Amino acid sequence: EFTGDFDREQYKEYMIRSNPVISCYTSDIHAGEELNWQNIFRAVDAEEHAIAVRIVSVNGMIDIAENYRFSKGGIYEVEVLAVDAKQKQTRKIFPLPVLPCKNK
């Protein structure tokens, strides 16, 4: 419940604020190579400031490490979450192509 004009204004600001935008930058991800999610997925808030992303799941599996290695090539579904300082959030699933190991 909102009390007073100040809370109402904050709520209105929150409702009209744009959600973060998440972009995916893939280039030659190979199975077996350690990758940093922050280099692949980038997010910006309504003011175009960079915000961190969190990997929710890979092919439905949760508890994904920050420095991750895909065990084999294929197309993986990566669920990404970005939350800005005002608690607006975007959750999106990206298809991520992973190439076979380089040494095979």
Side-chain angles (χ1 to χ4, degrees), residues 2-3 6-7 10-12 21 23 35 39 49-51 53-55 57 63 66 75 77 87 90 97 101-102:
F2 290 100
T3 55
F6 184 68
D7 288 341
Q10 280 184 315
Y11 180 73
K12 192 172 110 187
V21 175
S23 301
L35 59 94
N39 294 335
H49 297 125
I51 56 175
V53 296
R54 188 169 73 80
I55 305 305
S57 68
D63 293 330
E66 185 60 37
I75 305 285
E77 285 192 348
Q87 301 307 305
T90 299
C101 292
K102 279 185 180 176

Side-chain angles (χ1 to χ4, degrees), residues 7 14 28-29 33 45-46 52 65 86 95:
D7 288 341
Y14 174 82
D28 293 353
I29 298 169
E33 291 181 344
D45 64 13
K86 306 268 192 215

Side-chain angles (χ1 to χ4, degrees), residues 42 57 64 66 73 81:
R42 299 196 187 118
S57 68
I64 303 302
E66 185 60 37
L81 173 69

Side-chain angles (χ1 to χ4, degrees), residues 15 23-24 26 48 56-57 71 79 91 93 100:
M15 293 309 289
S23 301
C24 180
T26 59
E48 301 284 320
V56 176
S57 68
S71 58
E79 187 173 0
R91 186 184 287 243
I93 295 176

Side-chain angles (χ1 to χ4, degrees), residues 30-102:
H30 287 86
E33 291 181 344
E34 190 174 279
L35 59 94
N36 182 334
W37 294 116
Q38 304 300 321
N39 294 335
I40 297 171
F41 298 103
R42 299 196 187 118
V44 293
D45 64 13
E47 290 79 37
E48 301 284 320
H49 297 125
I51 56 175
V53 296
R54 188 169 73 80
I55 305 305
V56 176
S57 68
V58 174
N59 283 1
M61 292 178 55
I62 57 171
D63 293 330
I64 303 302
E66 185 60 37
N67 291 323
Y68 188 81
R69 292 174 198 267
F70 288 99
S71 58
K72 60 182 192 216
I75 305 285
Y76 291 83
E77 285 192 348
V78 180
E79 187 173 0
V80 184
L81 173 69
V83 183
D84 73 12
K86 306 268 192 215
Q87 301 307 305
K88 288 294 269 198
Q89 61 178 267
T90 299
R91 186 184 287 243
K92 188 172 177 183
I93 295 176
F94 290 89
L96 193 66
V98 176
L99 300 168
C101 292
K102 279 185 180 176

